[in-house]
Amino acid sequence: MPTYSFFVNGSARTVQTRTDDQPLLYVLRNQLGLTGAKLGCGLGQCGACTVLVDGEAVRSCMMPVAAANGRGVTTIEGLGSPDQPHPVQAAFITEQAAQCGYCASGMVMATVALLARKPKATRAEVQAALAANLCRCGTHQRILRAAQRATGTSP
């Protein structure tokens, strides 16, 4: 069985899988118990499974675990805590940007990646960065306001 080592939320982790192409999402959820990233479409089209790999937003349902070997993976569980949420998480809470919440972790992770690259992203840049993350509940405007709030500009 192939063995892979990577850093998840700052901790070194080693996992074994049956195949090299097992999706990172399955390893995170099933082997490591990190269920924040969700299986939505399983085709990389909805963004519910978004995590950060070396700071870049990736669709973990499409990334083979072999591609994460030796890299840093951050899930929603690694961002903040209920007592001290990450600034993006705090903005999402303030703006009540989650209705059912299924897409929320992917939206937060994509926003974190954007703001790491461009801390003062414009509304148009936020829209472009989140365009491929889908929300079926229709909270897009609240999500956009939350992302803008996280930049430190008024939504």
Side-chain angles (χ1 to χ4, degrees):
M1 291 176 74
T3 301
Y4 303 99
S5 296
F6 45 93
F7 293 90
V8 179
N9 300 330
S11 297
R13 303 301 295 260
T14 300
V15 297
Q16 287 187 327
T17 63
R18 294 179 194 259
T19 65
D20 291 334
D21 61 352
Q22 182 172 359
L24 176 61
L25 176 65
Y26 297 175
V27 171
L28 293 172
R29 290 182 61 81
N30 300 335
Q31 288 184 269
L32 301 179
L34 299 169
T35 58
K38 306 296 185 208
L39 176 61
C41 65
L43 301 170
Q45 296 176 354
C46 74
C49 67
T50 303
V51 299
L52 304 180
V53 177
D54 293 337
E56 295 294 320
V58 300
R59 306 299 168 99
S60 63
C61 72
M62 298 302 294
M63 180 180 216
V65 67
N69 195 46
R71 299 175 75 185
V73 177
T74 304
T75 67
I76 192 84
E77 292 91 345
L79 284 186
S81 68
D83 294 333
Q84 289 192 299
H86 183 280
V88 173
Q89 291 172 311
F92 270 64
I93 293 164
T94 299
E95 292 294 334
Q96 298 180 3
Q99 189 164 325
C100 81
Y102 205 81
C103 72
S105 65
M107 294 284 193
V108 166
M109 299 308 285
T111 303
V112 168
L114 168 66
L115 298 184
R117 291 189 317 274
K118 186 143 178 101
K120 296 295 182 187
T122 65
R123 184 175 176 91
E125 290 167 328
V126 170
Q127 285 176 305
L130 297 179
N133 286 64
L134 305 179
C135 172
R136 296 181 66 126
C137 296
T139 61
H140 289 286
Q141 293 306 311
R142 285 185 267 164
I143 290 166
L144 293 173
R145 282 195 308 268
Q148 280 302 139
R149 179 178 293 280
T151 68
T153 61
S154 296

PDB file of all heavy atoms in Angstrom, residues 8 55 94 105 108 126 137 143:
ATOM      1  N   VAL A   8      -0.795  18.530   7.775  1.00  0.00           N
ATOM      2  CA  VAL A   8      -2.205  18.906   7.767  1.00  0.00           C
ATOM      3  C   VAL A   8      -2.458  19.812   8.964  1.00  0.00           C
ATOM      4  O   VAL A   8      -2.234  19.398  10.110  1.00  0.00           O
ATOM      5  CB  VAL A   8      -3.125  17.666   7.817  1.00  0.00           C
ATOM      6  CG1 VAL A   8      -4.585  18.090   7.825  1.00  0.00           C
ATOM      7  CG2 VAL A   8      -2.837  16.737   6.653  1.00  0.00           C
ATOM      8  N   GLY A  55      -0.969  26.954   0.499  1.00  0.00           N
ATOM      9  CA  GLY A  55      -1.575  28.270   0.420  1.00  0.00           C
ATOM     10  C   GLY A  55      -2.492  28.512  -0.765  1.00  0.00           C
ATOM     11  O   GLY A  55      -3.154  29.534  -0.833  1.00  0.00           O
ATOM     12  N   THR A  94     -20.353  37.372  11.039  1.00  0.00           N
ATOM     13  CA  THR A  94     -20.960  38.699  11.166  1.00  0.00           C
ATOM     14  C   THR A  94     -21.994  38.942  10.079  1.00  0.00           C
ATOM     15  O   THR A  94     -23.075  39.475  10.344  1.00  0.00           O
ATOM     16  CB  THR A  94     -19.879  39.790  11.124  1.00  0.00           C
ATOM     17  OG1 THR A  94     -18.995  39.593  12.226  1.00  0.00           O
ATOM     18  CG2 THR A  94     -20.485  41.181  11.206  1.00  0.00           C
ATOM     19  N   SER A 105     -17.484  26.152   4.020  1.00  0.00           N
ATOM     20  CA  SER A 105     -16.045  25.919   4.218  1.00  0.00           C
ATOM     21  C   SER A 105     -15.281  26.149   2.920  1.00  0.00           C
ATOM     22  O   SER A 105     -14.198  26.737   2.937  1.00  0.00           O
ATOM     23  CB  SER A 105     -15.770  24.535   4.794  1.00  0.00           C
ATOM     24  OG  SER A 105     -16.148  23.523   3.900  1.00  0.00           O
ATOM     25  N   VAL A 108     -15.089  29.919   2.397  1.00  0.00           N
ATOM     26  CA  VAL A 108     -14.119  30.510   3.320  1.00  0.00           C
ATOM     27  C   VAL A 108     -12.700  30.221   2.843  1.00  0.00           C
ATOM     28  O   VAL A 108     -11.859  31.128   2.786  1.00  0.00           O
ATOM     29  CB  VAL A 108     -14.335  29.999   4.768  1.00  0.00           C
ATOM     30  CG1 VAL A 108     -13.148  30.339   5.659  1.00  0.00           C
ATOM     31  CG2 VAL A 108     -15.624  30.563   5.342  1.00  0.00           C
ATOM     32  N   VAL A 126     -13.094  39.571  -5.722  1.00  0.00           N
ATOM     33  CA  VAL A 126     -13.728  38.559  -4.871  1.00  0.00           C
ATOM     34  C   VAL A 126     -14.723  37.754  -5.699  1.00  0.00           C
ATOM     35  O   VAL A 126     -14.736  36.517  -5.631  1.00  0.00           O
ATOM     36  CB  VAL A 126     -14.426  39.214  -3.653  1.00  0.00           C
ATOM     37  CG1 VAL A 126     -15.287  38.200  -2.912  1.00  0.00           C
ATOM     38  CG2 VAL A 126     -13.398  39.835  -2.718  1.00  0.00           C
ATOM     39  N   CYS A 137     -28.195  27.789  -1.795  1.00  0.00           N
ATOM     40  CA  CYS A 137     -29.158  28.473  -0.939  1.00  0.00           C
ATOM     41  C   CYS A 137     -29.376  29.928  -1.327  1.00  0.00           C
ATOM     42  O   CYS A 137     -30.271  30.572  -0.802  1.00  0.00           O
ATOM     43  CB  CYS A 137     -28.705  28.416   0.519  1.00  0.00           C
ATOM     44  SG  CYS A 137     -28.648  26.746   1.181  1.00  0.00           S
ATOM     45  N   ILE A 143     -22.201  36.297   1.167  1.00  0.00           N
ATOM     46  CA  ILE A 143     -20.839  35.769   1.051  1.00  0.00           C
ATOM     47  C   ILE A 143     -19.909  36.853   0.511  1.00  0.00           C
ATOM     48  O   ILE A 143     -18.802  37.052   1.024  1.00  0.00           O
ATOM     49  CB  ILE A 143     -20.821  34.508   0.168  1.00  0.00           C
ATOM     50  CG1 ILE A 143     -21.519  33.354   0.904  1.00  0.00           C
ATOM     51  CG2 ILE A 143     -19.401  34.130  -0.231  1.00  0.00           C
ATOM     52  CD1 ILE A 143     -21.856  32.160   0.037  1.00  0.00           C
TER      53      ILE A 143
END
